[in-house]
Amino acid sequence: MMEYLLNVTRQTRENFIKLIESSTVDELNAIPQGFNNNIIWNFAHIVASQQGLCYLLANAEPVIESQYIAPFRKGTKPEKFIEAEEINTIKELMRSTIDQLEQDLKSDKFINFTPFKTHYGVEIKNADEAAQFFVVHDALHYGIASAMKRVIINNEK
């Protein structure tokens, strides 16, 4: 079951990468009217959230640098323009972090997990449940980013 859920997460992330690749850097950084963040923030937020929910809550060392976690955590907003080079790095992290997570779940790296209640009202008691939660979380942020893209395109016309 876990392999299936991780594959659904991978597919959502690949769909998100296609959205990123079909957008300009300016579109990715634009904050559409009615929103408080942008497409690239939602993209990076997925990676940051995975690190927080799985690694940090288990008192394990994150597998990415803090510069890709802190600015994109829940409750943050875009603070700077994200250039193409950094966008490409985040794309690489989008793929590599899910692969690393799969390995770390198999090796029982997350034994000291601190239970956490999400904004959905769902309690996550271990890293396996956190990984399962990403199916919903990633899809939500992909959907938000897709809506932003439609607003941006319609405003460009």
Side-chain angles (χ1 to χ4, degrees):
M1 180 64 146
M2 182 60 73
E3 184 177 338
Y4 173 78
L5 293 171
L6 290 171
N7 285 337
V8 170
T9 301
R10 281 187 181 93
Q11 185 59 55
T12 300
R13 290 179 177 204
E14 288 302 320
N15 293 342
F16 210 148
I17 288 169
K18 288 177 187 170
L19 176 71
I20 296 299
E21 291 174 344
S22 71
S23 304
T24 67
V25 173
D26 286 336
E27 288 172 341
L28 296 175
N29 281 279
I31 300 175
Q33 187 173 356
F35 293 91
N36 63 1
N37 52 44
N38 54 32
I39 294 170
I40 196 60
W41 182 92
N42 279 275
F43 189 66
H45 173 71
I46 288 173
V47 175
S49 294
Q50 178 193 330
Q51 296 297 296
L53 285 175
C54 288
Y55 293 85
L56 296 176
L57 286 177
N59 295 307
E61 187 71 29
V63 298
I64 65 173
E65 297 172 22
S66 63
Q67 74 186 55
Y68 297 108
I69 300 173
F72 306 106
R73 288 184 126 164
K74 183 179 184 286
T76 63
K77 294 180 182 179
E79 296 178 5
K80 66 175 188 157
F81 190 90
I82 308 294
E83 300 288 350
E85 184 177 329
E86 190 170 4
I87 291 167
N88 286 332
T89 299
I90 298 167
K91 280 184 351 189
E92 292 170 16
L93 293 173
M94 184 69 78
R95 290 178 174 125
S96 66
T97 55
I98 195 71
D99 293 338
Q100 185 64 52
L101 176 65
E102 183 173 30
Q103 290 175 16
D104 291 341
L105 286 167
K106 288 177 181 174
S107 69
D108 292 325
K109 182 174 185 167
F110 309 111
I111 54 174
N112 296 318
F113 196 89
T114 304
F116 174 78
K117 192 168 191 175
T118 70
H119 66 281
Y120 276 71
V122 174
E123 185 174 4
I124 296 175
K125 295 180 245 112
N126 55 54
D128 282 352
E129 289 180 1
Q132 293 168 31
F133 179 72
F134 289 122
V135 174
V136 173
H137 181 263
D138 288 14
L140 169 72
H141 285 281
Y142 171 60
I144 291 168
S146 296
M148 288 178 170
K149 174 76 177 207
R150 285 190 299 276
V151 169
I152 291 167
I153 289 172
N154 287 334
N155 287 341
E156 290 175 349
K157 292 180 180 179

